[in-house]
Amino acid sequence: MKEYIIKEHEDGTKVTVREVQLVLLEMLKDIDALCQKHHINYWLTGGSALGAVRHKGFIPWDDDADIGMMREDYERFVKVVHELGDGYVAQNFDIDERYNVVVPMKVRKKGTYCEEVNSLLKNKCTECDGLFIDIFVLDYVNDCKWKDFIWRMRNGFLMVVITLLENLHFNPKALKRRFLRNAKRYGQLNQGNAMIGYDLTWTFNSFFHPVVYPKESVFPLRYVPFEDTKLPIPKDPKPMLDNEVSCNFMSYPPLKDQQPKHLKDAKLS
């Protein structure tokens, strides 16, 4: 198996993608056990879901892990995440107002360290810089594309302002609160619609092509092989992967794109 390297140090030591994946796998197992204990529905998203479908585990060069939950499940998860124990730190805006709000929550592993490639996602919470699982909120969206577009533009503009102020070393707490309220309010206004997608805290996808797919394609979730365990994906992952990855998601990307892209450094202990 090809070895994918995140960083090679001057002393010859190196951090490999596989080493990171094995830590992330144990984190996913712990989160899965907690969610099963409290009957909280969640599923693998993005590259993690693609890995489950195409590789029965991680994509060999993938250096992160993503899961999603409907908002009601996310709000229940927030209340019990402390049960993961002392080895973990949960980060979101309610816990630490320095938090970067573009991802609703990160669950980090204590005793590890990582640095992300994307400087816009720089961790401003000083308690822990450990390896993490991104937790995304899925919520109801409007069937009318132009109405959906307006709401996304609103939060997209707010994110530009928030990022600018944070880069100037301000913490725009009021704008962050509005940003989060907009996302929750939009889901409430569309409660019960057929389509769901990443809530409005995720502004990195095109406003013209948001990650949206039918709720009926998700439930009931099914557990599928993932490395040496089983983890949940949507009942029919195709609509999600068609939208989030590509309609040719079972095909491998060009060799030049088969590289880790999220982390530029990591320490595993």
Side-chain angles (χ1 to χ4, degrees):
M1 179 182 292
K2 180 177 177 179
E3 184 178 64
Y4 296 92
I5 298 173
I6 292 173
K7 185 165 184 176
E8 189 163 2
H9 299 279
E10 292 181 357
D11 63 1
T13 60
K14 56 191 175 184
V15 181
T16 68
V17 168
R18 188 57 182 166
E19 289 173 324
V20 168
Q21 288 177 350
L22 292 176
V23 176
L24 294 176
L25 179 61
E26 294 308 308
M27 296 173 69
L28 286 169
K29 289 177 181 178
D30 288 342
I31 290 173
D32 181 71
L34 178 64
C35 287
Q36 290 205 51
K37 174 183 175 181
H38 291 281
H39 307 289
I40 294 171
N41 287 317
Y42 81 96
W43 59 96
L44 300 177
T45 64
S48 299
L50 177 58
V53 172
R54 195 172 68 191
H55 303 271
K56 294 183 171 54
F58 289 102
I59 298 172
W61 53 89
D62 194 11
D63 55 351
D64 82 338
D66 303 322
I67 65 175
M69 305 175 181
M70 292 298 292
R71 183 172 297 280
E72 58 268 28
D73 285 305
Y74 171 74
E75 291 177 349
R76 292 172 55 220
F77 181 80
V78 170
K79 294 178 181 178
V80 300
V81 67
H82 65 276
E83 293 182 22
L84 287 172
D86 293 338
Y88 289 95
V89 171
Q91 295 174 340
N92 70 6
F93 183 72
D94 291 330
I95 296 169
D96 189 335
E97 292 183 334
R98 296 171 297 177
Y99 183 73
N100 187 331
V101 290
V102 298
V103 176
M105 175 180 278
K106 289 180 181 286
V107 173
R108 293 185 181 268
K109 181 74 171 176
K110 286 185 179 179
T112 66
Y113 164 82
C114 69
E115 183 180 358
E116 294 186 69
V117 170
N118 189 341
S119 61
L120 294 178
L121 299 176
K122 182 177 176 60
N123 179 30
K124 298 175 177 65
C125 303
T126 56
E127 183 180 2
C128 184
D129 260 329
L131 290 171
F132 58 86
I133 308 292
D134 278 330
I135 300 179
F136 293 94
V137 171
L138 281 291
D139 213 337
Y140 296 96
V141 302
N142 201 298
D143 297 327
C144 177
K145 290 187 177 181
W146 70 265
K147 291 181 179 178
D148 183 74
F149 174 81
I150 290 172
W151 277 86
R152 291 184 189 281
M153 280 290 292
R154 183 180 300 171
N155 257 24
F157 174 75
L158 270 177
M159 178 46 59
V160 171
V161 177
I162 289 169
T163 300
L164 175 63
L165 290 172
E166 288 196 318
N167 285 340
L168 293 173
H169 306 291
F170 293 100
N171 184 8
K173 297 176 186 178
L175 292 182
K176 288 181 177 180
R177 291 189 188 96
R178 178 179 293 182
F179 183 80
L180 294 171
R181 282 199 306 268
N182 283 350
K184 186 170 184 177
R185 179 61 176 156
Y186 182 60
Q188 291 171 336
L189 289 172
N190 296 291
Q191 188 76 20
N193 279 4
M195 304 297 286
I196 61 172
Y198 285 146
D199 83 337
L200 299 188
T201 58
W202 186 249
T203 61
F204 288 94
N205 285 86
S206 166
F207 302 134
F208 298 98
H209 186 68
V211 176
V212 172
Y213 43 94
K215 184 181 179 184
E216 69 175 8
S217 70
V218 177
F219 298 103
L221 298 167
R222 60 189 178 97
Y223 273 74
V224 299
F226 192 94
E227 301 292 341
D228 62 355
T229 187
K230 289 188 174 183
L231 294 173
I233 63 171
K235 173 183 68 177
D236 177 8
K238 188 176 187 303
M240 178 184 73
L241 292 174
D242 280 349
N243 189 284
E244 193 169 5
V245 181
S246 85
C247 293
N248 299 314
F249 60 82
M250 290 302 289
S251 299
Y252 281 43
L255 282 175
K256 65 181 179 64
D257 294 329
Q258 295 180 22
Q259 298 294 331
K261 62 181 182 180
H262 299 99
L263 302 181
K264 61 181 179 181
D265 195 7
K267 294 177 183 178
L268 307 181
S269 60

